[in-house]
Structure formats: structure tokens, C-alpha cells
Amino acid sequence: MAILELSGVTVRFGGIVAVNQLDMKVEEGTIHGLIGPNGAGKSTVFNVLSRYYEPAEGTVTFDGRNLLQYQPSQVVGLGIARTFQNVELFRGLTVWENLMVGQHHNIRYGMFAAALGGLLPRVRQAEQEARDRAMEVLEFLGIAAHRDAYPQFLPYGIQKRVEFARALVSRPRLILLDEPAAGMNPSETEELAQLIKIMRDKYETTVLLVEHDMSLVMSICERITVMDFGRKIADGTPAEVQANPAVIKAYLGEEEVEAEHA
Amino acid sequence: MILAQQIISGLATGSLYALAALGLVLIFKTSDVVNFAQGEMAMFGTFIAFTLMMKGGVPYWGAFVLALVFAAVFGMLIERIVIRPLSTAPLISVLIATLGLLNIINGVAGWIWGYDPKPFPTGISGAPIRVGGLVFTLPTLLNLAVALVLMLAFFALFKYSLMGIAMRAVAENRLAARLVGVHTNRVLAITWGLGGILAATAGILIAPVTTLSINMMAEMQVKAFTAGVLGGFTSLPGAVVGGLLLGVLENLVGQFIPQLKTPFAFALIVLVLIFRPAGLLGTVQRKKV
Ligand SMILES: Nc1ncnc2c1ncn2[C@@H]1O[C@H](COP(=O)(O)OP(=O)(O)OP(=O)(O)O)[C@@H](O)[C@H]1O
Ligand SMILES: [Mg+2]
């Protein structure tokens, strides 16, 4: 069953059509790649799913619900969490505190509970669960040693993992990863590939992955959607996509051009 | 010994400045709004406590607590009705709106309760405590204790509770906070509710000194701003330290040249702004993600 379905989604910025009549289905429990050359519209799709960009046309259905009727702050509560292409961690907060913010949608208490804080058992329990969850995820992603660090002082690859962790602590059913391997060396990337697969099984999530590292995409994705200039030019299994002439022309061709220039 | 006694009475006034400044700083820190109506929120809450005591026969501490509940709701309403609709407006519009609120609340309070000053009771009374040659009155000690306890409580809230951490995230980048699932509107409403509680607490503790009137906070508000700016305007401990420092300095100045007490507070604001302009001008920038 498709957990996420976009149909006819179009996003415009002034004269630019960043996403053009996009149809896409993401099956529940899969690792689904969304690839394409620079400026193809991949991050724009993520921003539509975050309800940050309003599509001019089209519908988005998540888990049987019309996603477009929700507020940006409700999206995480529905079960969609994300990372950002340019890391968007809070600089004034430690890694640990960033993970607490990632669970804030779970906190239902109001004004007086907030004022009384830890004095109320209900609040104490909610906060304890948040801490347990954060610790588990930090350990799972191998970044527990950095829990009290401020993100800006960490290597970029680690910052990417912290964002991954912040998305994962929210217990998402669909996790959107925007270039998670950026800033990582090949062995770290290989480790990340394994982590994404284990995470999908252990936390029972669906993954939508934007990534330029083709070895990562081809090794872990079960389905791939390819975009170019805002349009979908192909989708299918990694093998199908790699054999698709349009993809080779638009995407792999670009790499050849780059290689020739190098 | 006279100097020590002067410092003590400076701390007494200073703890009131600190309380008033705490609310200002809390709201500024989280929502980027300089709330000129903070003092009038304090005054209004104090009148509510007064009415409960005089007309309702509610005992002092009961009236205190009920007034705080009222103040929290009042703060949240102000956020919902005035501040939230202006969330995308330029900073200056929000400033003018809080100035407008100041006048609205003041006018309505005058219309309800009249313009004559009224005596306001203290929470505790009894013989002053003498230590060595120094005299501590009980209200002084109460005010100091309340200021310090509230400072610590809010400091702990910001540092450790999920709500406090979310407040800091909202303060830093409201959009990013929203995109990772923080209900920013609710966080801001709660901030204003807590700001209202701090305001009313300050008002109720200040009223026995100033007497209760619709203009009771006029001077206090200036002092609260000075205390906040002295402390950097985004730091809760800063607000308390700033308040106490201002109280003591001002008292020492007043000892020699009483007429210059208030000009001194303004001179301090100007000086701090010259040397630490970042204190007041921090803005949240919207970023592409
Ligand atoms: N907020 C915005 N305002 C104007 N144009 C935008 C905005 N966001 C994206 N665009 C444009 O939309 C197009 C698609 O951008 P997008 O960031 O989605 O590409 P991408 O596929 O993520 O590329 P990359 O691989 O470089 O990250 C680009 O032409 C970009 O300049
Ligand atoms: Mg992108």
C-alpha cells in the first residue's frame, strides 16, 4: 500500500516551475530514492511534504489523509519527519536538547503543567520517555559521545547524523533524508547505508531518500524516482532506472560531461 | 554600617525591579517582542487581587494565586489577539501595538477602578529582623526570596524542561522549530502566560510600596527596562542581577543627590546601549531551507 502519494504536484516560484506535474507513490516500508541533477526540484518536494511550500496544483495523500490541509507544525505529529540539505540544527542548543525539540510534538501538556514542570508526575513521565528515546537513538546512530556538544562545533558528517537522530526520535512513519551522506567519506557512507537499512527494519519506517551519492542510492533503494527540471523522467527499480535512456541522458550524462571537464 | 544598610534597602527595591524585568526578558527572549505593556499587565493583575480581597473577601494568598491565574490567561489572550496576528509585521509595528496596549489597559483600569491611589497590603508583617546593626524588614526578605526563587525556577525551566528547550528553539529560529514539529503558537502563548504571571507577581509585591493606582508601574517600568538592558536583555539571571545592581546603585546615588535618582536610571540605559547594543537589537532571521 502506498503510504505517500503525490499527484499532479506543481510548485512555482515566480516564473520558475520548480516541480512540474509530479506523480509519485512511495510504498509503505520501502527505501525510496528521489534523485536528479542539481536544481531538479528534490528539496522542493521535501518542502511541500513539510507543508513549507504550498503547491500551486496537485494533491498529496499521506496515510490516507489529505496532507495539504495540515499546518507545518502538525506534519511531524502525523508521522513525517525530515532532515535538511543545509543542516538546520539549533545552534544555541546542545545535541541532546536538539533531540528534545524533535519530540516536542508529543508533549501535550499546557500552560500550568509547563509552569509546574517536573512537579507533576504526568509531565515527569513524558519527559522521561523523551530522554529514554533520545538516548536510544543517539546510541543507535553512534553519536552518543556528542550528546552535550553544540552542533556547530561538530564535523559536518556528524551534524548530518544529529539531524537524522532528531528526525528519528519523533517516531516517524515516513522519514525524509535530504543528502544524508554529504560530508561523509566512503566508509562513513557505507556505514550510513547499513544504518538506514537497519533503521527501516528496527523502527518500521518508510524512507524517502534524496542523495547524490549514486553508490548509496543504488545499493539501498528498492524504488527510485528520477526528476529533471521539475519533471519526473523515470521511476522503477535501481536496475530499471539505470537502464533508462532518459535517465542516462539527463543524469548520468551530466556526470560524464563533468568527468570530461575534470 | 550606613553604607551596608543602604545596600540592603537597595537590594529590596532592586528585587522588585528584578521581578518586573524577568517578565520583560522572558517575553523578549522567546518572542522577540519588547512588551511595553508589561507594567500595565502587572497593574491590572494587582487590581484583580485587590478586588478579590476587598470585594470578594478572599484572603491575601488566595487572592494572590487567583490573580496569577487571571494574569496567565490575560497574557495568553494578549498573545492570541494582538501579537500573533502581527507575527509577520515589522518589529516596529509590534512595538507600537504593545505601546497601544499599555494605553488601552491603563485607560480601562481607570474606568473600572478610578484614579485614586489605594493602600495595598503586604503578604507578611511583623517586627523587622536585626542582624548585627542591620535591619531587614520582612517584606524586603519576602521580595528578595520571591525574586530569587522565580529566577531559579525559570532558569531551570529553560535549561531542563522540554517546554523551556522548545522556547529556546522558537526564540532562535521559529520556522525551523515549526518544521520539526514544535507548535510554535502554543509555545508563544505559554510564554506570554508565564510573562503575565511574572508581571502580576511583581505588581502585587510592589503595590505596598507604590500604593495601588493605575500609574503605579510607570516608574517601575523604566527601571525594569534598565535592569533588563543592564543584564543583556536575553538572560534571566542577567535580569535579576541587573535589577539588584540598579537598586543598589540608584540608592547610593540617591543618598548623595536624591534628585538624580531617575536621571541616573536613564543614563544607565543609554550607556549600556552604547556599549552593548546587541542586547536590544537581536532579530530572528528567516532562512531558506
Ligand atoms: N524558495 C525558493 N525561491 C525561489 N526559487 C526556489 C526556491 N526554492 C527552490 N527554488 C528553485 O527551484 C528549483 C529546484 O530547487 P531544489 O532546491 O528543489 O533543487 P534540488 O533538486 O534539491 O537540487 P540540489 O540537488 O542542488 O539540492 C531551483 O531552480 C531553485 O532555484
Ligand atoms: Mg536539494
Side-chain angles (χ1 to χ4, degrees):
Chain A
M1 200 198 89
I3 189 168
L4 178 72
E5 184 165 356
L6 285 77
S7 106
V9 170
T10 298
V11 181
R12 297 196 185 94
F13 298 106
I16 305 171
V17 186
V19 176
N20 199 345
Q21 293 292 328
L22 179 70
D23 298 326
M24 181 168 81
K25 264 191 192 176
V26 177
E27 297 297 323
E28 180 148 26
T30 55
I31 300 178
H32 191 121
L34 178 59
I35 64 172
N38 290 111
K42 308 177 297 291
S43 296
T44 302
V45 170
F46 275 19
N47 284 331
V48 167
L49 298 178
S50 285
R51 295 291 293 116
Y52 179 44
Y53 291 162
E54 198 67 51
E57 290 161 32
T59 60
V60 181
T61 311
F62 173 72
D63 197 20
R65 285 184 253 229
N66 172 11
L67 186 68
L68 300 183
Q69 71 188 19
Y70 291 90
Q71 295 291 314
S73 60
Q74 295 176 308
V75 170
V76 174
L78 284 176
I80 303 178
R82 70 174 290 185
T83 68
F84 298 86
Q85 182 167 351
N86 310 308
V87 174
E88 295 285 341
L89 293 164
F90 298 101
R91 301 162 59 103
L93 272 53
T94 63
V95 167
W96 179 255
E97 290 168 343
N98 269 281
L99 265 56
M100 293 296 131
V101 176
Q103 298 181 77
H104 195 259
H105 70 282
N106 267 331
I107 301 302
R108 305 232 174 276
Y109 56 77
M111 158 86 222
F112 290 97
L116 294 172
L119 301 178
L120 297 181
R122 188 165 53 88
V123 175
R124 248 207 323 263
Q125 193 196 337
E127 303 212 340
Q128 188 55 47
E129 279 168 16
R131 281 192 285 270
D132 293 346
R133 172 84 178 173
M135 204 58 227
E136 182 201 319
V137 167
L138 280 177
E139 275 165 7
F140 174 69
L141 291 177
I143 49 175
H146 302 294
R147 59 167 273 177
D148 294 320
Y150 284 89
Q152 74 214 67
F153 302 117
L154 296 170
Y156 193 67
I158 303 286
Q159 293 186 27
K160 282 260 156 196
R161 275 198 193 198
V162 175
E163 265 210 331
F164 190 173
R166 182 176 63 186
L168 195 49
V169 288
S170 73
R171 303 172 189 274
R173 299 191 49 210
L174 172 65
I175 188 164
L176 314 174
L177 301 175
D178 200 343
E179 303 194 16
M184 291 184 186
N185 64 34
S187 77
E188 286 168 339
T189 304
E190 174 54 30
E191 197 187 319
L192 179 74
Q194 295 312 315
L195 272 176
I196 292 175
K197 277 205 284 199
I198 299 169
M199 172 204 72
R200 184 264 309 266
D201 299 335
K202 179 171 159 147
Y203 295 99
E204 295 177 342
T205 55
T206 305
V207 181
L208 184 56
L209 173 70
V210 166
E211 184 52 65
H212 284 292
D213 185 319
M214 281 308 118
S215 62
L216 174 64
V217 173
M218 295 304 163
S219 70
I220 65 171
C221 293
E222 287 127 6
R223 306 287 303 183
I224 296 175
T225 299
V226 189
M227 293 177 73
D228 193 17
F229 294 111
R231 287 184 179 279
K232 179 169 83 176
I233 57 170
D235 67 16
T237 64
E240 285 165 7
V241 162
Q242 272 171 305
N244 186 313
V247 176
I248 294 169
K249 184 161 168 282
Y251 192 89
L252 303 173
E254 184 199 49
E255 274 183 359
E256 277 161 22
V257 173
E258 273 171 16
E260 278 165 23
H261 281 278
Chain B
M1 212 32 110
I2 291 178
L3 185 68
Q5 191 63 53
Q6 281 299 324
I7 291 177
I8 289 168
S9 70
L11 287 176
T13 349
S15 58
L16 299 177
Y17 298 162
L19 273 174
L22 270 178
L24 276 177
V25 168
L26 177 77
I27 286 177
F28 179 73
K29 202 173 146 78
T30 312
S31 66
D32 250 9
V33 175
V34 178
N35 181 20
F36 284 113
Q38 187 80 5
E40 306 311 290
M41 289 163 66
M43 173 273 291
F44 208 89
T46 311
F47 266 108
I48 295 288
F50 182 80
T51 307
L52 286 168
M53 281 187 272
M54 298 304 149
K55 298 263 155 59
V58 182
Y60 180 90
W61 291 108
F64 200 141
V65 171
L66 288 176
L68 295 191
V69 173
F70 168 85
V73 174
F74 191 37
M76 289 195 279
L77 278 178
I78 288 178
E79 191 278 335
R80 183 69 192 86
I81 295 169
V82 181
I83 305 299
R84 195 180 302 177
L86 291 175
S87 64
T88 53
L91 230 47
I92 186 79
S93 311
V94 187
L95 282 188
I96 298 299
T98 66
L99 269 177
L101 268 175
L102 184 161
N103 288 293
I104 293 168
I105 299 172
N106 191 278
V108 170
W111 173 62
I112 300 177
W113 289 292
Y115 304 88
D116 304 325
K118 303 164 177 63
F120 193 91
T122 51
I124 45 176
S125 51
I129 297 171
R130 285 168 202 282
V131 182
L134 301 176
V135 184
F136 297 84
T137 67
L138 292 182
T140 299
L141 292 175
L142 176 70
N143 294 350
L144 260 177
V146 171
L148 291 177
V149 166
L150 282 179
M151 177 195 89
L152 289 175
F154 276 89
F155 187 73
L157 172 88
F158 262 91
K159 186 101 186 87
Y160 302 111
S161 82
L162 257 64
M163 183 53 74
I165 293 169
M167 283 176 174
R168 279 151 59 202
V170 171
E172 181 179 321
N173 188 341
R174 201 178 291 185
L175 171 63
R178 191 171 293 159
L179 293 181
V180 298
V182 177
H183 296 290
T184 51
N185 284 337
R186 194 163 69 193
V187 169
L188 290 171
I190 287 175
T191 303
W192 278 79
L194 294 173
I197 288 182
L198 283 170
T201 307
I204 290 170
L205 295 179
I206 288 163
V209 184
T210 57
T211 73
L212 176 63
S213 81
I214 59 166
N215 295 322
M216 62 181 273
M217 294 301 290
E219 196 191 334
M220 194 55 72
Q221 191 63 2
V222 173
K223 304 298 170 62
F225 270 108
T226 315
V229 173
L230 262 179
F233 226 83
T234 49
S235 149
L236 297 171
V240 172
V241 171
L244 296 179
L245 198 64
L246 176 65
V248 170
L249 288 177
E250 188 191 67
N251 221 32
L252 295 178
V253 171
Q255 170 86 340
F256 302 108
I257 322 166
Q259 298 86 339
L260 289 188
K261 250 177 121 163
T262 303
F264 173 75
F266 280 103
L268 261 184
I269 285 201
V270 174
L271 279 177
V272 172
L273 284 180
I274 289 172
F275 292 106
R276 289 215 44 171
L280 257 176
L281 297 180
T283 50
V284 175
Q285 54 178 25
R286 289 186 157 246
K287 298 203 291 181
K288 175 181 180 256
V289 290

